[in-house]
Amino acid sequence: MTSWLLLAEAGAPEGGLFDLDATLPLMVIQVVLLTFILNGLFFRPIGKTVEDREGYISTSRADAKQKLAQVERLEAQLTEQLRGARQQSQQLITEAEQEVDRLYREALAMAQAEANTVREKSRQEIEIQKAAATQSLQVEADRLSNLIVDRLLASR
């Protein structure tokens, strides 16, 4: 404990808080040398790595923007193609419906014409058969009337 007391009594060295002896330039040289060493060994590689990463990020962002623009162009093209395909399919459907309607009307007209032809033939056949039947009945009526007349004349 006596050694502490001796140190306390000894007092502070001359110069006070800032002593400008040989330690200050030595500290400045150490700080400058440490700055150069740290800059060469640590800060430059770290700075290069940071710059590489920033370059990679900006390149990736530029590529992503290009790809996004390309995707948007492709999407617009595909949308336009889809719209065109829909219009084309709608037009094909409309044309097909019109063709079916035209064929239906043609088939109906042909069926009606054929039915009219068959009906007219049947009417003509009926007229011929009616005329033949009328003729046959007329002949039979004449024969029967002659027979009745002959029997009446013979019975008298």
Side-chain angles (χ1 to χ4, degrees):
M1 181 156 104
T2 56
S3 63
W4 285 101
L5 289 174
L6 288 177
L7 285 174
E9 287 177 12
E14 297 275 334
L17 183 62
F18 294 107
D19 192 12
L20 297 177
D21 56 359
T23 59
L24 181 65
L26 184 62
M27 292 301 265
V28 168
I29 290 173
Q30 285 179 353
V31 167
V32 169
L33 184 64
L34 184 62
T35 302
F36 283 120
I37 290 173
L38 284 177
N39 193 21
L41 295 177
F42 182 70
F43 294 132
R44 277 192 195 145
I46 295 293
K48 186 177 182 298
T49 304
V50 167
E51 287 176 4
D52 290 345
R53 285 188 183 215
E54 286 176 358
Y56 174 75
I57 288 170
S58 45
T59 304
S60 296
R61 289 185 75 190
D63 289 344
K65 285 180 181 180
Q66 288 177 349
K67 288 179 182 178
L68 181 62
Q70 183 179 8
V71 164
E72 288 173 351
R73 279 194 317 270
L74 288 175
E75 182 183 16
Q77 287 175 352
L78 289 176
T79 303
E80 189 61 34
Q81 286 177 356
L82 182 61
R83 185 178 298 119
R86 283 184 180 158
Q87 288 175 349
Q88 188 177 20
S89 65
Q90 188 64 34
Q91 183 180 2
L92 286 174
I93 289 170
T94 304
E95 288 174 1
E97 286 175 347
Q98 289 173 351
E99 181 70 18
V100 165
D101 189 44
R102 184 186 62 79
L103 289 174
Y104 171 75
R105 280 186 267 120
E106 284 178 7
L108 184 61
M110 286 175 52
Q112 285 177 343
E114 187 177 331
N116 288 339
T117 304
V118 168
R119 187 176 66 217
E120 187 60 33
K121 277 185 178 182
S122 297
R123 190 188 60 77
Q124 288 174 356
E125 285 180 17
I126 289 171
E127 286 294 322
I128 291 171
Q129 288 175 359
K130 180 181 170 186
T134 305
Q135 181 66 27
S136 172
L137 284 175
Q138 186 65 36
V139 169
E140 188 67 30
D142 287 343
R143 188 185 64 80
L144 285 175
S145 64
N146 285 336
L147 184 63
I148 291 174
V149 170
D150 286 342
R151 284 193 181 172
L152 282 175
L153 288 177
S155 66
R156 257 197 207 191

